[in-house]
Amino acid sequence: MGRVDGRTVIVTGGARGMGAAFARRLVAEGASVVLTDVLVDEGKAVAAELGSSAVFLPHDVTDEAAWIDVVAHAESVFGPVSGLVNNAGIVHVDPIETLSESDYRRVIDVNQLGVFLGMKSVVPSMRRAGGGSIVNISSIGGIISFTNILGYVASKWAVRGMTKAAAQEFGPLGIRVNSVHPGVVATEMTADSTRSNSMFHDQPLPRAGTPEELANLVLFLVSDESGYSTGSEFVADGGFTTH
């Protein structure tokens, strides 16, 4: 028996990296997964690999109408949604002095507005499912700060606060909401960072994390094993934020 048997779970940013690892882990434990992304070919490939328990949908998380369509498709194929992993995210590197308004807004739209729209859109379906679990992927950049990525830091701090506000509202509906705060995880998005070991040398676990390690944490939060946890931050950073 799988740990999430019978669950219908939406995973955004599911075409590669952590999102693809989340989809694989959830399917392996019995869930049916709708994975979404703007990377169409890569998303289709992951869904094909996972077989009949997964479908891929092209999806811009900043578009509310697209969210409504994703939830409706998930229900029509697999049944009411009981899990959402808001994983889609981008980063833009620039000092504040030269950061353009359009680049700042784009990061906020994907990382923050996308999470809001996702949470809003799944609530009716989760009511029909009898409850559910929302996992918002933030970052250690939502707990501490880093230079030259103002939009990313702002959005990830916002996700942390939005998670707590949603947990308060959704708790009486049987819907839990938690945030996950990875450190550097070895994915395409962090390839430049993980090439150098210098950033890990003061970290208690002196290495990058793996997508599979984060997938185990997400699985725990989607499952009933975390049934008394809501509005909380779950940090997986090799101890980076202990300093």
Side-chain angles (χ1 to χ4, degrees):
M1 182 175 176
R3 294 160 67 186
V4 285
D5 273 349
R7 308 284 176 95
T8 299
V9 184
I10 296 170
V11 178
T12 67
R16 64 183 187 180
M18 290 196 298
F22 300 159
R24 292 184 181 105
R25 193 75 179 93
L26 289 163
V27 167
E29 289 292 340
S32 297
V33 173
V34 176
L35 55 112
T36 79
D37 210 304
V38 295
L39 301 173
V40 175
D41 290 343
E42 292 169 83
K44 286 181 176 178
V46 174
E49 167 199 331
L50 295 175
S52 61
S53 294
V55 297
F56 170 76
L57 294 176
H59 181 205
D60 175 357
V61 297
T62 70
D63 182 341
E64 185 167 12
W67 267 109
I68 293 168
D69 289 344
V70 166
V71 174
H73 191 84
E75 283 205 323
S76 69
V77 176
F78 296 129
V81 176
S82 52
L84 168 64
V85 184
N86 275 314
N87 171 68
I90 61 173
V91 63
H92 180 85
V93 181
D94 237 337
I96 295 170
E97 189 175 10
T98 56
L99 178 63
S100 72
E101 179 182 346
S102 61
D103 286 332
Y104 176 81
R105 285 182 181 274
R106 177 60 181 160
V107 174
I108 295 298
D109 282 351
V110 174
N111 296 4
Q112 180 178 339
L113 177 65
V115 168
F116 157 66
L117 293 175
M119 293 193 295
K120 177 183 178 181
S121 299
V122 298
V123 169
S125 191
M126 286 190 172
R127 286 179 184 268
R128 290 188 283 274
S133 174
I134 297 172
V135 183
N136 294 326
I137 307 301
S138 180
S139 166
I140 56 171
I143 294 174
I144 59 175
S145 186
F146 297 93
T147 59
N148 297 330
I149 51 171
L150 176 70
Y152 184 83
V153 169
S155 66
K156 294 304 186 179
W157 276 78
V159 168
R160 180 183 176 195
M162 291 160 63
T163 296
K164 293 181 181 297
Q168 290 176 321
E169 287 193 35
F170 297 166
L173 307 178
I175 300 170
R176 299 182 295 108
V177 192
N178 293 287
S179 57
V180 170
H181 299 259
V184 176
V185 178
T187 67
E188 294 87 348
M189 188 174 177
T190 62
D192 291 341
S193 300
T194 54
R195 286 193 187 102
S196 169
N197 290 327
S198 62
M199 69 175 300
F200 304 118
H201 103 234
D202 285 333
Q203 189 172 292
L205 301 180
R207 62 174 178 85
T210 68
E212 291 73 25
E213 287 171 316
L214 270 295
N216 288 332
L217 178 54
V218 166
L219 171 64
F220 168 72
L221 292 173
V222 172
S223 78
D224 290 339
E225 295 166 14
S226 56
Y228 197 51
S229 296
T230 196
S232 295
E233 301 97 346
F234 289 79
V235 180
D237 69 348
F240 188 93
T241 53
T242 59
H243 293 288

